[in-house]
Amino acid sequence: MKKLINNPERAVDEELAGMAAAHGDLIRIIEPNVVLRRDAPRPGKVGVISGGGSGHEPMHGGYVGMGMLDAACPGAVFTSPVPDQMLAATKAVNAGAGVLHIVKNYTGDIMNFELAAEMARAEGIEVASVVIADDVAVKDSLYTAGRRGVGGTVLAEKIVGAAAEAGADLKTVAALCQKVQDNVRSMGMALTSCTVPVAGKPTFELGEDEMEIGIGIHGEPGRTRMKLAPADEITEMLATPILDDLPFKSGDTVLAFVNGMGGTPLMELYIVFNKLAQILKGRGIAIGRSFVGNYITSLEMAGTSITLLRLDDELTRFWDAPVHTPALRWGV
Amino acid sequence: MSGSTPITYDDVIAWINTFAASVRDQKEYLTELDSAIGDADHGINMDRGFQAVIGKLPGLPNRDIGAAFKTVGMTLVSTVGGASGPLYGTFFLQLGTATAGREAIGLDDLIAALDAGVAGVQRIGKAEPGDKTMLDTLLPARDALREAAASGASLQDALARAVAAAEQGMLATIPLVARKGRASYLGERSAGHQDPGATSSYLLLKAAADAWSGAAGGTAN
């Protein structure tokens, strides 16, 4: 294992201390490991929190700030946070207008957020939860835990955060989050595995000439392993199931999000985007907004995911609204 | 009479300590199993939780078995994360409720407590037998314990049968296709691998058998 760490057991704690040192104007860290907006709670505002395992940076801690999340709960690497964290976050951001939990669809995240929501309600805080499950690589059936929450989560946090910032109430904010979920689809692939610091060795092995299609964001293996193909073919393999699933139709306008898994250079992400743009054009789908970079990662994994969100005026307006967080900043 | 064989407070603490040591010992093995079909953290997370647990046990104020189990459960919920935290946490919280206020319990009490624990795991995990989860170990073990008790077996004999049933259940997860948790994302590719949660549950039962091999029941042979 070759990593810039001091002690695997302390990696997340030291990361959070570094974030506080770097972005103290935007965030602060409170016990037990909650990244909190500097000026939370904001009077009258619905609180928006999320959380999940660490290792997906900048998600979620990097999205705490004006116009996005009020708090984020980072668990151990690839391990959902514990209810104590979500309870502390919920209490810290609650200004009396209620709190929205944005939860990615993983068994552990669902259970821990549910426990926290129950505890918060018992303390008189109004909590709504929306589950993001946008990964078309997973069959949504009785025989799986359901689709994973992946790239769509970042878009939901931005859009929902903007609505909350604008003063929308809890019911409206939750409905908007569900609207994002209903209109977003993603799929990812890996060129390499990644190494959880405390595990010390890669989660899975991929040969020099192999790739894994349909991966999530936890270094878990995907659905199929294949011979490595050119970027254009890989882009087709990811885009086609996404487009056919919703389905996205001719005349639609989308936000096209090409995400890096952590170890892939922007050069390659733009090569993917180039092909994606051609595919969308061929289907008569317009790119209303584009988003390219490492925004929801899997440590140092090389690979990419594609996320498409069907836009309307409301979603576009909240996407464009000002945001000021450690990882996203525009309009300010 | 099997039902009257006492399991004391000290026996319960010995069980938890034995399991904590077993998890530490098998940490890498559990993580390796999890890297094949999950996300390579089961041993790491369970070890973090049980190290926190053994730090808390000496500070407990009285010899209440139920309180000890509840402390274990709450500590796991607060330190493990993932799905294992709520699942094992609920298991022990239910054991605690079933044994509240008791300084010693018999085999029948243990079976009733296990019933409650397993029901809690089923309730929050929503898994069925054969879904390739910890239930595939816990359910046959509980049933074996119950049958052994009904036939008048001693605590040690009953536990030995439960551990054997648990081991069979654990091994039976190998060919199964996972239907719950992260392993379910793999679909057919999850077959051929032993379930990490079923494995840690086997270790939990084996820890009871090991810890009580001579301690409880008054006779060592």
Side-chain angles (χ1 to χ4, degrees), chain A residues 78-80 82-84 105 107-108 112 143 145-146 148 212 220 222-224, chain B residues 35 38-39 41 44-45 77-78 80-83 86 179 181-182 184-186 189:
Chain A
F78 294 167
T79 300
S80 69
V82 299
D84 311 43
N105 189 32
T107 307
N112 286 287
Y143 307 112
R148 296 175 284 224
E212 189 90 9
E220 67 266 55
R223 290 192 77 84
T224 45
Chain B
S35 67
D39 56 351
D41 62 5
I44 295 160
N45 293 341
V77 168
S78 295
V80 177
R179 292 180 173 184
R182 271 184 202 162
S184 73
Y185 303 139
L186 285 168
R189 281 172 90 192

PDB file of all heavy atoms in Angstrom, chain A residues 78-80 82-84 105 107-108 112 143 145-146 148 212 220 222-224, chain B residues 35 38-39 41 44-45 77-78 80-83 86 179 181-182 184-186 189:
ATOM      1  N   PHE A  78     -15.625   3.742   3.440  1.00  0.00           N
ATOM      2  CA  PHE A  78     -16.607   2.843   2.806  1.00  0.00           C
ATOM      3  C   PHE A  78     -17.573   2.211   3.805  1.00  0.00           C
ATOM      4  O   PHE A  78     -18.193   1.190   3.514  1.00  0.00           O
ATOM      5  CB  PHE A  78     -15.909   1.739   2.002  1.00  0.00           C
ATOM      6  CG  PHE A  78     -15.155   2.248   0.807  1.00  0.00           C
ATOM      7  CD1 PHE A  78     -14.259   1.420   0.136  1.00  0.00           C
ATOM      8  CD2 PHE A  78     -15.340   3.532   0.341  1.00  0.00           C
ATOM      9  CE1 PHE A  78     -13.565   1.881  -0.976  1.00  0.00           C
ATOM     10  CE2 PHE A  78     -14.646   4.004  -0.772  1.00  0.00           C
ATOM     11  CZ  PHE A  78     -13.759   3.169  -1.430  1.00  0.00           C
ATOM     12  N   THR A  79     -17.693   2.798   4.985  1.00  0.00           N
ATOM     13  CA  THR A  79     -18.601   2.258   6.008  1.00  0.00           C
ATOM     14  C   THR A  79     -19.586   3.344   6.391  1.00  0.00           C
ATOM     15  O   THR A  79     -19.174   4.463   6.707  1.00  0.00           O
ATOM     16  CB  THR A  79     -17.805   1.828   7.251  1.00  0.00           C
ATOM     17  OG1 THR A  79     -16.874   0.826   6.872  1.00  0.00           O
ATOM     18  CG2 THR A  79     -18.731   1.286   8.322  1.00  0.00           C
ATOM     19  N   SER A  80     -20.869   3.022   6.375  1.00  0.00           N
ATOM     20  CA  SER A  80     -21.838   4.058   6.677  1.00  0.00           C
ATOM     21  C   SER A  80     -21.582   4.602   8.079  1.00  0.00           C
ATOM     22  O   SER A  80     -21.102   3.891   8.948  1.00  0.00           O
ATOM     23  CB  SER A  80     -23.254   3.517   6.568  1.00  0.00           C
ATOM     24  OG  SER A  80     -23.473   2.609   7.598  1.00  0.00           O
ATOM     25  N   VAL A  82     -22.456   6.188  11.882  1.00  0.00           N
ATOM     26  CA  VAL A  82     -23.304   5.636  12.939  1.00  0.00           C
ATOM     27  C   VAL A  82     -24.414   6.637  13.277  1.00  0.00           C
ATOM     28  O   VAL A  82     -24.277   7.830  13.010  1.00  0.00           O
ATOM     29  CB  VAL A  82     -22.468   5.277  14.194  1.00  0.00           C
ATOM     30  CG1 VAL A  82     -21.427   4.225  13.844  1.00  0.00           C
ATOM     31  CG2 VAL A  82     -21.809   6.498  14.799  1.00  0.00           C
ATOM     32  N   PRO A  83     -25.533   6.151  13.855  1.00  0.00           N
ATOM     33  CA  PRO A  83     -26.681   7.035  14.110  1.00  0.00           C
ATOM     34  C   PRO A  83     -26.327   8.242  14.971  1.00  0.00           C
ATOM     35  O   PRO A  83     -26.907   9.318  14.800  1.00  0.00           O
ATOM     36  CB  PRO A  83     -27.675   6.121  14.843  1.00  0.00           C
ATOM     37  CG  PRO A  83     -27.279   4.741  14.502  1.00  0.00           C
ATOM     38  CD  PRO A  83     -25.806   4.759  14.245  1.00  0.00           C
ATOM     39  N   ASP A  84     -25.375   8.081  15.891  1.00  0.00           N
ATOM     40  CA  ASP A  84     -24.984   9.199  16.759  1.00  0.00           C
ATOM     41  C   ASP A  84     -24.568  10.414  15.933  1.00  0.00           C
ATOM     42  O   ASP A  84     -24.830  11.553  16.302  1.00  0.00           O
ATOM     43  CB  ASP A  84     -23.795   8.815  17.656  1.00  0.00           C
ATOM     44  CG  ASP A  84     -23.999   7.496  18.372  1.00  0.00           C
ATOM     45  OD1 ASP A  84     -24.489   6.542  17.727  1.00  0.00           O
ATOM     46  OD2 ASP A  84     -23.654   7.397  19.559  1.00  0.00           O
ATOM     47  N   ASN A 105     -28.794   4.697  -1.257  1.00  0.00           N
ATOM     48  CA  ASN A 105     -29.397   3.385  -1.022  1.00  0.00           C
ATOM     49  C   ASN A 105     -28.367   2.275  -0.835  1.00  0.00           C
ATOM     50  O   ASN A 105     -28.015   1.571  -1.789  1.00  0.00           O
ATOM     51  CB  ASN A 105     -30.355   3.021  -2.156  1.00  0.00           C
ATOM     52  CG  ASN A 105     -31.159   1.767  -1.825  1.00  0.00           C
ATOM     53  OD1 ASN A 105     -31.466   1.529  -0.655  1.00  0.00           O
ATOM     54  ND2 ASN A 105     -31.479   0.965  -2.810  1.00  0.00           N
ATOM     55  N   THR A 107     -27.641  -0.768   2.308  1.00  0.00           N
ATOM     56  CA  THR A 107     -28.277  -1.367   3.479  1.00  0.00           C
ATOM     57  C   THR A 107     -27.856  -0.666   4.765  1.00  0.00           C
ATOM     58  O   THR A 107     -28.690  -0.305   5.591  1.00  0.00           O
ATOM     59  CB  THR A 107     -27.919  -2.862   3.536  1.00  0.00           C
ATOM     60  OG1 THR A 107     -28.255  -3.439   2.269  1.00  0.00           O
ATOM     61  CG2 THR A 107     -28.688  -3.563   4.632  1.00  0.00           C
ATOM     62  N   GLY A 108     -26.562  -0.456   4.935  1.00  0.00           N
ATOM     63  CA  GLY A 108     -26.056   0.149   6.171  1.00  0.00           C
ATOM     64  C   GLY A 108     -26.493   1.597   6.317  1.00  0.00           C
ATOM     65  O   GLY A 108     -26.914   2.023   7.397  1.00  0.00           O
ATOM     66  N   ASN A 112     -28.799   2.961   9.473  1.00  0.00           N
ATOM     67  CA  ASN A 112     -28.253   3.934  10.420  1.00  0.00           C
ATOM     68  C   ASN A 112     -28.996   5.268  10.357  1.00  0.00           C
ATOM     69  O   ASN A 112     -29.232   5.903  11.383  1.00  0.00           O
ATOM     70  CB  ASN A 112     -26.751   4.121  10.181  1.00  0.00           C
ATOM     71  CG  ASN A 112     -25.940   2.932  10.676  1.00  0.00           C
ATOM     72  OD1 ASN A 112     -25.777   2.743  11.879  1.00  0.00           O
ATOM     73  ND2 ASN A 112     -25.472   2.103   9.767  1.00  0.00           N
ATOM     74  N   TYR A 143     -34.704  -9.390  -5.338  1.00  0.00           N
ATOM     75  CA  TYR A 143     -33.546 -10.232  -5.075  1.00  0.00           C
ATOM     76  C   TYR A 143     -32.254  -9.456  -4.903  1.00  0.00           C
ATOM     77  O   TYR A 143     -31.174 -10.009  -4.893  1.00  0.00           O
ATOM     78  CB  TYR A 143     -33.416 -11.273  -6.204  1.00  0.00           C
ATOM     79  CG  TYR A 143     -34.702 -12.020  -6.390  1.00  0.00           C
ATOM     80  CD1 TYR A 143     -35.468 -11.863  -7.528  1.00  0.00           C
ATOM     81  CD2 TYR A 143     -35.182 -12.836  -5.373  1.00  0.00           C
ATOM     82  CE1 TYR A 143     -36.687 -12.517  -7.663  1.00  0.00           C
ATOM     83  CE2 TYR A 143     -36.394 -13.487  -5.498  1.00  0.00           C
ATOM     84  CZ  TYR A 143     -37.149 -13.323  -6.646  1.00  0.00           C
ATOM     85  OH  TYR A 143     -38.351 -13.965  -6.771  1.00  0.00           O
ATOM     86  N   ALA A 145     -30.552  -5.602  -2.942  1.00  0.00           N
ATOM     87  CA  ALA A 145     -30.821  -4.523  -1.995  1.00  0.00           C
ATOM     88  C   ALA A 145     -31.338  -3.286  -2.721  1.00  0.00           C
ATOM     89  O   ALA A 145     -31.531  -2.243  -2.120  1.00  0.00           O
ATOM     90  CB  ALA A 145     -29.553  -4.190  -1.213  1.00  0.00           C
ATOM     91  N   GLY A 146     -31.579  -3.411  -4.029  1.00  0.00           N
ATOM     92  CA  GLY A 146     -32.058  -2.274  -4.813  1.00  0.00           C
ATOM     93  C   GLY A 146     -30.895  -1.478  -5.367  1.00  0.00           C
ATOM     94  O   GLY A 146     -29.743  -1.718  -5.035  1.00  0.00           O
ATOM     95  N   ARG A 148     -28.067   1.170  -6.171  1.00  0.00           N
ATOM     96  CA  ARG A 148     -27.195   1.971  -5.306  1.00  0.00           C
ATOM     97  C   ARG A 148     -27.394   3.451  -5.580  1.00  0.00           C
ATOM     98  O   ARG A 148     -27.754   3.848  -6.684  1.00  0.00           O
ATOM     99  CB  ARG A 148     -25.730   1.634  -5.597  1.00  0.00           C
ATOM    100  CG  ARG A 148     -25.364   0.224  -5.285  1.00  0.00           C
ATOM    101  CD  ARG A 148     -23.939  -0.074  -5.710  1.00  0.00           C
ATOM    102  NE  ARG A 148     -23.833  -0.237  -7.143  1.00  0.00           N
ATOM    103  CZ  ARG A 148     -23.126  -1.209  -7.735  1.00  0.00           C
ATOM    104  NH1 ARG A 148     -22.471  -2.090  -7.019  1.00  0.00           N
ATOM    105  NH2 ARG A 148     -23.057  -1.278  -9.045  1.00  0.00           N
ATOM    106  N   GLU A 212     -13.808  -3.560 -15.083  1.00  0.00           N
ATOM    107  CA  GLU A 212     -14.984  -4.029 -14.358  1.00  0.00           C
ATOM    108  C   GLU A 212     -16.126  -3.063 -14.698  1.00  0.00           C
ATOM    109  O   GLU A 212     -16.008  -1.861 -14.477  1.00  0.00           O
ATOM    110  CB  GLU A 212     -14.637  -4.000 -12.861  1.00  0.00           C
ATOM    111  CG  GLU A 212     -15.629  -4.644 -11.963  1.00  0.00           C
ATOM    112  CD  GLU A 212     -15.357  -6.132 -11.724  1.00  0.00           C
ATOM    113  OE1 GLU A 212     -14.309  -6.642 -12.115  1.00  0.00           O
ATOM    114  OE2 GLU A 212     -16.252  -6.763 -11.145  1.00  0.00           O
ATOM    115  N   GLU A 220     -16.365  -2.183  -4.491  1.00  0.00           N
ATOM    116  CA  GLU A 220     -16.966  -3.508  -4.615  1.00  0.00           C
ATOM    117  C   GLU A 220     -16.916  -3.914  -6.086  1.00  0.00           C
ATOM    118  O   GLU A 220     -17.020  -3.075  -6.967  1.00  0.00           O
ATOM    119  CB  GLU A 220     -18.404  -3.544  -4.087  1.00  0.00           C
ATOM    120  CG  GLU A 220     -19.430  -2.743  -4.877  1.00  0.00           C
ATOM    121  CD  GLU A 220     -19.628  -1.346  -4.310  1.00  0.00           C
ATOM    122  OE1 GLU A 220     -18.629  -0.627  -4.174  1.00  0.00           O
ATOM    123  OE2 GLU A 220     -20.783  -0.985  -4.029  1.00  0.00           O
ATOM    124  N   GLY A 222     -18.031  -5.235  -9.750  1.00  0.00           N
ATOM    125  CA  GLY A 222     -19.249  -4.919 -10.491  1.00  0.00           C
ATOM    126  C   GLY A 222     -19.954  -6.167 -10.962  1.00  0.00           C
ATOM    127  O   GLY A 222     -19.752  -7.242 -10.403  1.00  0.00           O
ATOM    128  N   ARG A 223     -20.760  -6.017 -11.972  1.00  0.00           N
ATOM    129  CA  ARG A 223     -21.528  -7.164 -12.468  1.00  0.00           C
ATOM    130  C   ARG A 223     -20.750  -8.010 -13.457  1.00  0.00           C
ATOM    131  O   ARG A 223     -20.936  -9.211 -13.512  1.00  0.00           O
ATOM    132  CB  ARG A 223     -22.833  -6.691 -13.108  1.00  0.00           C
ATOM    133  CG  ARG A 223     -23.816  -6.164 -12.096  1.00  0.00           C
ATOM    134  CD  ARG A 223     -25.183  -5.985 -12.713  1.00  0.00           C
ATOM    135  NE  ARG A 223     -25.881  -7.246 -12.857  1.00  0.00           N
ATOM    136  CZ  ARG A 223     -26.590  -7.824 -11.894  1.00  0.00           C
ATOM    137  NH1 ARG A 223     -26.667  -7.255 -10.719  1.00  0.00           N
ATOM    138  NH2 ARG A 223     -27.207  -8.952 -12.091  1.00  0.00           N
ATOM    139  N   THR A 224     -19.903  -7.359 -14.276  1.00  0.00           N
ATOM    140  CA  THR A 224     -19.160  -8.141 -15.275  1.00  0.00           C
ATOM    141  C   THR A 224     -17.729  -7.642 -15.407  1.00  0.00           C
ATOM    142  O   THR A 224     -17.449  -6.453 -15.249  1.00  0.00           O
ATOM    143  CB  THR A 224     -19.808  -8.041 -16.678  1.00  0.00           C
ATOM    144  OG1 THR A 224     -20.126  -6.676 -16.930  1.00  0.00           O
ATOM    145  CG2 THR A 224     -21.046  -8.893 -16.774  1.00  0.00           C
TER     146      THR A 224
ATOM    147  N   SER B  35     -14.120  -8.910   1.033  1.00  0.00           N
ATOM    148  CA  SER B  35     -13.586  -8.278  -0.173  1.00  0.00           C
ATOM    149  C   SER B  35     -14.020  -9.047  -1.417  1.00  0.00           C
ATOM    150  O   SER B  35     -14.090  -8.491  -2.500  1.00  0.00           O
ATOM    151  CB  SER B  35     -12.067  -8.127  -0.100  1.00  0.00           C
ATOM    152  OG  SER B  35     -11.463  -9.382  -0.114  1.00  0.00           O
ATOM    153  N   GLY B  38     -18.206  -8.121  -0.977  1.00  0.00           N
ATOM    154  CA  GLY B  38     -18.711  -6.907  -0.334  1.00  0.00           C
ATOM    155  C   GLY B  38     -17.719  -5.782  -0.525  1.00  0.00           C
ATOM    156  O   GLY B  38     -17.237  -5.562  -1.624  1.00  0.00           O
ATOM    157  N   ASP B  39     -17.385  -5.112   0.572  1.00  0.00           N
ATOM    158  CA  ASP B  39     -16.504  -3.963   0.436  1.00  0.00           C
ATOM    159  C   ASP B  39     -15.343  -4.007   1.411  1.00  0.00           C
ATOM    160  O   ASP B  39     -14.824  -2.976   1.804  1.00  0.00           O
ATOM    161  CB  ASP B  39     -17.309  -2.678   0.597  1.00  0.00           C
ATOM    162  CG  ASP B  39     -18.059  -2.660   1.906  1.00  0.00           C
ATOM    163  OD1 ASP B  39     -18.089  -3.706   2.581  1.00  0.00           O
ATOM    164  OD2 ASP B  39     -18.601  -1.614   2.274  1.00  0.00           O
ATOM    165  N   ASP B  41     -14.599  -4.697   4.599  1.00  0.00           N
ATOM    166  CA  ASP B  41     -14.452  -4.020   5.886  1.00  0.00           C
ATOM    167  C   ASP B  41     -15.102  -4.756   7.063  1.00  0.00           C
ATOM    168  O   ASP B  41     -15.079  -4.245   8.179  1.00  0.00           O
ATOM    169  CB  ASP B  41     -14.987  -2.583   5.806  1.00  0.00           C
ATOM    170  CG  ASP B  41     -16.486  -2.526   5.488  1.00  0.00           C
ATOM    171  OD1 ASP B  41     -17.126  -3.591   5.432  1.00  0.00           O
ATOM    172  OD2 ASP B  41     -16.999  -1.420   5.284  1.00  0.00           O
ATOM    173  N   ILE B  44     -12.762  -5.464  10.018  1.00  0.00           N
ATOM    174  CA  ILE B  44     -12.275  -4.187  10.559  1.00  0.00           C
ATOM    175  C   ILE B  44     -13.364  -3.524  11.402  1.00  0.00           C
ATOM    176  O   ILE B  44     -13.123  -3.067  12.524  1.00  0.00           O
ATOM    177  CB  ILE B  44     -11.865  -3.259   9.393  1.00  0.00           C
ATOM    178  CG1 ILE B  44     -10.664  -3.853   8.637  1.00  0.00           C
ATOM    179  CG2 ILE B  44     -11.569  -1.858   9.887  1.00  0.00           C
ATOM    180  CD1 ILE B  44     -10.478  -3.303   7.234  1.00  0.00           C
ATOM    181  N   ASN B  45     -14.581  -3.488  10.870  1.00  0.00           N
ATOM    182  CA  ASN B  45     -15.677  -2.818  11.582  1.00  0.00           C
ATOM    183  C   ASN B  45     -16.089  -3.562  12.847  1.00  0.00           C
ATOM    184  O   ASN B  45     -16.343  -2.952  13.888  1.00  0.00           O
ATOM    185  CB  ASN B  45     -16.885  -2.654  10.656  1.00  0.00           C
ATOM    186  CG  ASN B  45     -16.602  -1.686   9.526  1.00  0.00           C
ATOM    187  OD1 ASN B  45     -15.679  -0.891   9.603  1.00  0.00           O
ATOM    188  ND2 ASN B  45     -17.390  -1.768   8.464  1.00  0.00           N
ATOM    189  N   VAL B  77     -23.952  -0.226  17.996  1.00  0.00           N
ATOM    190  CA  VAL B  77     -24.684   0.717  17.144  1.00  0.00           C
ATOM    191  C   VAL B  77     -23.886   2.012  16.972  1.00  0.00           C
ATOM    192  O   VAL B  77     -23.847   2.599  15.892  1.00  0.00           O
ATOM    193  CB  VAL B  77     -26.085   1.019  17.731  1.00  0.00           C
ATOM    194  CG1 VAL B  77     -26.729   2.212  17.018  1.00  0.00           C
ATOM    195  CG2 VAL B  77     -26.994  -0.201  17.609  1.00  0.00           C
ATOM    196  N   SER B  78     -23.197   2.414  18.045  1.00  0.00           N
ATOM    197  CA  SER B  78     -22.495   3.707  18.020  1.00  0.00           C
ATOM    198  C   SER B  78     -21.093   3.635  17.439  1.00  0.00           C
ATOM    199  O   SER B  78     -20.478   4.678  17.227  1.00  0.00           O
ATOM    200  CB  SER B  78     -22.381   4.269  19.443  1.00  0.00           C
ATOM    201  OG  SER B  78     -23.652   4.565  19.934  1.00  0.00           O
ATOM    202  N   VAL B  80     -19.817   0.698  15.129  1.00  0.00           N
ATOM    203  CA  VAL B  80     -19.514  -0.202  14.006  1.00  0.00           C
ATOM    204  C   VAL B  80     -19.848   0.426  12.657  1.00  0.00           C
ATOM    205  O   VAL B  80     -19.064   0.380  11.710  1.00  0.00           O
ATOM    206  CB  VAL B  80     -20.238  -1.560  14.163  1.00  0.00           C
ATOM    207  CG1 VAL B  80     -19.980  -2.446  12.949  1.00  0.00           C
ATOM    208  CG2 VAL B  80     -19.755  -2.257  15.423  1.00  0.00           C
ATOM    209  N   GLY B  81     -21.017   1.047  12.542  1.00  0.00           N
ATOM    210  CA  GLY B  81     -21.435   1.584  11.252  1.00  0.00           C
ATOM    211  C   GLY B  81     -21.817   0.466  10.301  1.00  0.00           C
ATOM    212  O   GLY B  81     -21.985  -0.686  10.704  1.00  0.00           O
ATOM    213  N   GLY B  82     -21.949   0.808   9.022  1.00  0.00           N
ATOM    214  CA  GLY B  82     -22.342  -0.187   8.029  1.00  0.00           C
ATOM    215  C   GLY B  82     -23.658  -0.837   8.399  1.00  0.00           C
ATOM    216  O   GLY B  82     -24.461  -0.280   9.146  1.00  0.00           O
ATOM    217  N   ALA B  83     -23.902  -2.023   7.853  1.00  0.00           N
ATOM    218  CA  ALA B  83     -25.105  -2.761   8.223  1.00  0.00           C
ATOM    219  C   ALA B  83     -24.855  -3.575   9.485  1.00  0.00           C
ATOM    220  O   ALA B  83     -25.762  -3.822  10.273  1.00  0.00           O
ATOM    221  CB  ALA B  83     -25.541  -3.670   7.076  1.00  0.00           C
ATOM    222  N   PRO B  86     -26.026  -1.763  13.077  1.00  0.00           N
ATOM    223  CA  PRO B  86     -27.434  -1.906  13.462  1.00  0.00           C
ATOM    224  C   PRO B  86     -27.857  -3.365  13.656  1.00  0.00           C
ATOM    225  O   PRO B  86     -28.666  -3.653  14.544  1.00  0.00           O
ATOM    226  CB  PRO B  86     -28.186  -1.276  12.294  1.00  0.00           C
ATOM    227  CG  PRO B  86     -27.220  -0.308  11.692  1.00  0.00           C
ATOM    228  CD  PRO B  86     -25.866  -0.926  11.873  1.00  0.00           C
ATOM    229  N   ARG B 179     -29.122 -12.047  -1.703  1.00  0.00           N
ATOM    230  CA  ARG B 179     -30.315 -11.247  -2.011  1.00  0.00           C
ATOM    231  C   ARG B 179     -30.428 -10.022  -1.118  1.00  0.00           C
ATOM    232  O   ARG B 179     -31.377  -9.257  -1.232  1.00  0.00           O
ATOM    233  CB  ARG B 179     -31.573 -12.101  -1.831  1.00  0.00           C
ATOM    234  CG  ARG B 179     -31.661 -13.196  -2.862  1.00  0.00           C
ATOM    235  CD  ARG B 179     -32.904 -14.011  -2.636  1.00  0.00           C
ATOM    236  NE  ARG B 179     -33.097 -14.969  -3.702  1.00  0.00           N
ATOM    237  CZ  ARG B 179     -34.154 -15.752  -3.796  1.00  0.00           C
ATOM    238  NH1 ARG B 179     -35.102 -15.685  -2.895  1.00  0.00           N
ATOM    239  NH2 ARG B 179     -34.269 -16.605  -4.776  1.00  0.00           N
ATOM    240  N   GLY B 181     -28.083  -6.825   1.107  1.00  0.00           N
ATOM    241  CA  GLY B 181     -26.805  -6.194   1.349  1.00  0.00           C
ATOM    242  C   GLY B 181     -25.988  -6.017   0.079  1.00  0.00           C
ATOM    243  O   GLY B 181     -26.460  -6.238  -1.025  1.00  0.00           O
ATOM    244  N   ARG B 182     -24.739  -5.606   0.279  1.00  0.00           N
ATOM    245  CA  ARG B 182     -23.906  -5.258  -0.870  1.00  0.00           C
ATOM    246  C   ARG B 182     -23.605  -6.436  -1.773  1.00  0.00           C
ATOM    247  O   ARG B 182     -23.410  -6.280  -2.970  1.00  0.00           O
ATOM    248  CB  ARG B 182     -22.601  -4.629  -0.392  1.00  0.00           C
ATOM    249  CG  ARG B 182     -22.780  -3.149  -0.268  1.00  0.00           C
ATOM    250  CD  ARG B 182     -21.527  -2.419   0.101  1.00  0.00           C
ATOM    251  NE  ARG B 182     -21.952  -1.156   0.679  1.00  0.00           N
ATOM    252  CZ  ARG B 182     -21.211  -0.381   1.417  1.00  0.00           C
ATOM    253  NH1 ARG B 182     -19.982  -0.724   1.682  1.00  0.00           N
ATOM    254  NH2 ARG B 182     -21.683   0.739   1.881  1.00  0.00           N
ATOM    255  N   SER B 184     -25.542  -8.525  -2.840  1.00  0.00           N
ATOM    256  CA  SER B 184     -26.624  -8.743  -3.805  1.00  0.00           C
ATOM    257  C   SER B 184     -26.355  -8.013  -5.114  1.00  0.00           C
ATOM    258  O   SER B 184     -26.893  -8.378  -6.151  1.00  0.00           O
ATOM    259  CB  SER B 184     -27.974  -8.308  -3.219  1.00  0.00           C
ATOM    260  OG  SER B 184     -28.069  -6.905  -3.145  1.00  0.00           O
ATOM    261  N   TYR B 185     -25.514  -6.966  -5.094  1.00  0.00           N
ATOM    262  CA  TYR B 185     -25.202  -6.233  -6.330  1.00  0.00           C
ATOM    263  C   TYR B 185     -24.479  -7.120  -7.330  1.00  0.00           C
ATOM    264  O   TYR B 185     -24.474  -6.855  -8.521  1.00  0.00           O
ATOM    265  CB  TYR B 185     -24.319  -5.016  -6.043  1.00  0.00           C
ATOM    266  CG  TYR B 185     -24.907  -4.048  -5.050  1.00  0.00           C
ATOM    267  CD1 TYR B 185     -24.111  -3.452  -4.087  1.00  0.00           C
ATOM    268  CD2 TYR B 185     -26.255  -3.724  -5.080  1.00  0.00           C
ATOM    269  CE1 TYR B 185     -24.645  -2.563  -3.173  1.00  0.00           C
ATOM    270  CE2 TYR B 185     -26.795  -2.844  -4.172  1.00  0.00           C
ATOM    271  CZ  TYR B 185     -25.985  -2.264  -3.218  1.00  0.00           C
ATOM    272  OH  TYR B 185     -26.503  -1.385  -2.315  1.00  0.00           O
ATOM    273  N   LEU B 186     -23.827  -8.164  -6.816  1.00  0.00           N
ATOM    274  CA  LEU B 186     -23.039  -9.037  -7.680  1.00  0.00           C
ATOM    275  C   LEU B 186     -23.910 -10.042  -8.425  1.00  0.00           C
ATOM    276  O   LEU B 186     -23.446 -10.677  -9.367  1.00  0.00           O
ATOM    277  CB  LEU B 186     -22.021  -9.815  -6.844  1.00  0.00           C
ATOM    278  CG  LEU B 186     -20.816  -9.017  -6.360  1.00  0.00           C
ATOM    279  CD1 LEU B 186     -20.063  -9.802  -5.332  1.00  0.00           C
ATOM    280  CD2 LEU B 186     -19.925  -8.679  -7.528  1.00  0.00           C
ATOM    281  N   ARG B 189     -22.677 -13.665  -9.416  1.00  0.00           N
ATOM    282  CA  ARG B 189     -21.250 -13.710  -9.065  1.00  0.00           C
ATOM    283  C   ARG B 189     -21.019 -13.842  -7.567  1.00  0.00           C
ATOM    284  O   ARG B 189     -19.904 -14.068  -7.124  1.00  0.00           O
ATOM    285  CB  ARG B 189     -20.537 -12.442  -9.564  1.00  0.00           C
ATOM    286  CG  ARG B 189     -20.224 -12.482 -11.044  1.00  0.00           C
ATOM    287  CD  ARG B 189     -19.708 -11.136 -11.488  1.00  0.00           C
ATOM    288  NE  ARG B 189     -18.251 -11.027 -11.384  1.00  0.00           N
ATOM    289  CZ  ARG B 189     -17.594  -9.875 -11.493  1.00  0.00           C
ATOM    290  NH1 ARG B 189     -18.252  -8.764 -11.690  1.00  0.00           N
ATOM    291  NH2 ARG B 189     -16.284  -9.841 -11.398  1.00  0.00           N
TER     292      ARG B 189
END
